[in-house]
């Protein structure tokens, strides 16, 4: 799903224990700066990155997290210096 400004493509879910769709990543266009933070239901930050090309494998401290929704906060600046923030959820789906 693209965000309202069409700057970022953010998937709604992924399946880390499958051969396909097994990494969560964001695609962007005209992005100058980017940061993502992902939190568990308990409020623990389980992933963060400032590299839009980096992918999350659904793990925290080397362990695959349980199935469920995780809150992400993305803050980014476009090439025309507009600062945006998106808060939403990503669903981690486990099949095993």
């Amino acid at each position: 799903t693209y965000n309202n400004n069409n700057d970022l493509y953010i998937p709604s879910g992924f399946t880390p224990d499958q051969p396909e769709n097994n990494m969560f990543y964001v695609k962007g266009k005209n992005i100058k700066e980017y940061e993502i933070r992902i939190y568990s239901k308990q409020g623990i930050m389980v992933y963060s990155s400032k590299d839009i090309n980096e992918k999350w494998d659904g793990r925290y401290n080397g362990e695959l997290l349980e199935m469920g929704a995780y809150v992400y906060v993305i803050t980014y600046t476009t090439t025309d210096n507009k600062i945006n923030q998106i808060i939403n959820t990503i669903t981690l789906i486990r099949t095993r």
Side-chain angles (χ1 to χ4, degrees), residues 3 5-6 10 24 27-28 30 41 44 56 59 70 83:
N3 70 312
N5 298 328
N6 284 329
I10 307 167
F24 172 67
K27 293 180 185 177
N30 304 317
K41 293 176 211 143
I44 298 166
W56 181 46
R59 296 179 186 277
Y70 292 79
I83 299 170

Side-chain angles (χ1 to χ4, degrees), residues 1 12 18 31 35 37 40-41 50-51 61 75-78 82-83 86 89 95-96:
T1 307
S12 58
Q18 291 297 301
I31 305 299
E35 181 179 22
R37 296 181 314 277
S40 70
K41 293 176 211 143
K50 291 187 176 192
D51 182 352
N61 287 338
T75 306
Y76 68 98
T77 305
T78 59
K82 292 185 180 158
I83 299 170
I86 301 167
T89 58
T95 57
R96 297 181 206 148

